[in-house]
Amino acid sequence: MSVACFIPIKSNSERVPGKNFRILNGKKLYEYIIEHALAAGVFDDIFIDTNSDEIKAFAEKLGCKIIDRREELARNTANGNDLLNHHFELFPNYDYYFQLFATAPYLQPSSIKACVDALTSSSVYDSCFTAVKHQGFFWLNNTSINYRPCILPRSQDMLPVVEETTGMYGITRQALEKYRCRIGARPYIHFVSKFEAVDINTEEDLKIAEQVGREYWKY
């Protein structure tokens, strides 16, 4: 059984200039997920897909492998499926493909390991992703989606809405080849804490992450 991890970290960012190089609680954002992936101890190979010489040097020093980011995949129009399919085409012989993101700095090694273990030991699931549950009153396109407004349930009795954290995805080689997507037909959902679910895409997210990290590490 062979398990690969791919971490795309580009040097450019439209919404938050220099995002992956910003300092978060004394450490550059991109450093967190690389270190956590290594600490999980579950990957045969960890690839860093980047167009930054600084990130390449940091990753190589820690024993990661480097993929030079293709220009078209560094544009804002490229998405996670595009990247994973590209990585699959480059390295088609792994049994499992995992994708982690620098924008999820607080995803812990223990959660990474648990997610990998759940997928690689299963004969039922063909993919996995990290998520959080929300017990609340949710609407979409002016329509309630998980409750009837005329019959108010207790919040703890409501059908939870599940949100991908966009921090970690995994899929078998067979499912990736069939669906060309980072989530297959039978995904395992690994729930993480709200701390681990922090996802940084805006300046406000960075400020919140800074405060959340300080409060978390106090205890």
Side-chain angles (χ1 to χ4, degrees):
M1 180 180 72
S2 55
V3 184
C5 173
F6 298 87
I7 307 176
I9 314 175
K10 61 184 181 180
S11 61
N12 52 302
S13 175
E14 186 175 276
R15 284 179 290 181
V16 184
K19 175 176 65 177
N20 290 320
F21 303 90
R22 299 285 285 273
I23 301 298
L24 175 63
N25 287 319
K27 185 182 295 188
K28 290 188 177 181
L29 183 61
Y30 73 79
E31 296 179 7
Y32 281 92
I33 198 63
I34 296 175
E35 292 176 348
H36 290 177
L38 286 162
V42 288
F43 301 115
D44 294 301
D45 293 301
I46 297 175
F47 295 87
I48 310 301
D49 183 321
T50 185
N51 52 1
S52 163
D53 290 337
E54 176 185 325
I55 294 173
K56 289 177 186 178
F58 177 84
E60 286 181 322
K61 186 177 180 180
L62 294 179
C64 299
K65 299 183 178 181
I66 302 299
I67 299 173
D68 289 316
R69 176 66 64 93
R70 288 173 57 174
E71 184 178 348
E72 64 269 28
L73 292 176
R75 297 171 187 156
N76 291 325
T77 53
N79 60 42
N81 286 337
D82 297 331
L83 284 161
L84 193 57
N85 282 317
H86 171 57
H87 296 151
F88 175 56
E89 289 165 4
L90 290 176
F91 304 98
N93 296 320
Y94 288 99
D95 296 308
Y96 297 90
Y97 293 77
F98 286 85
Q99 190 177 59
L100 296 172
F101 291 92
T103 51
Y106 297 150
L107 184 63
Q108 297 298 296
S110 57
S111 289
I112 294 172
K113 183 179 186 306
C115 202
V116 172
D117 288 347
L119 180 58
T120 57
S121 65
S122 173
S123 60
V124 175
Y125 303 115
D126 66 355
S127 53
C128 66
F129 61 88
T130 50
V132 289
K133 286 181 183 178
H134 296 284
Q135 299 280 139
F137 300 85
F138 288 91
W139 290 65
L140 178 65
N141 295 329
N142 211 35
T143 302
S144 58
I145 61 173
N146 68 331
Y147 82 107
R148 295 168 60 191
C150 58
I151 306 175
L152 284 177
R154 298 185 306 165
S155 59
Q156 62 266 39
D157 295 331
M158 295 184 71
L159 182 68
V161 174
V162 175
E163 178 189 8
E164 296 175 33
T165 68
T166 67
M168 179 174 184
Y169 296 86
I171 191 165
T172 66
R173 179 177 65 228
Q174 292 85 352
L176 181 55
E177 189 170 24
K178 180 178 181 179
Y179 301 111
R180 306 300 288 186
C181 175
R182 64 188 182 185
I183 298 177
R186 303 183 309 278
Y188 163 72
I189 303 176
H190 185 78
F191 292 103
V192 298
S193 67
K194 289 183 178 180
F195 169 69
E196 291 186 85
V198 166
D199 185 53
I200 298 174
N201 288 297
T202 66
E203 291 285 353
E204 184 180 14
D205 291 338
L206 271 170
K207 293 176 183 177
I208 293 171
E210 185 83 21
Q211 184 61 39
V212 167
R214 287 175 184 167
E215 291 299 318
Y216 181 85
W217 284 307
K218 261 199 230 177
Y219 305 98

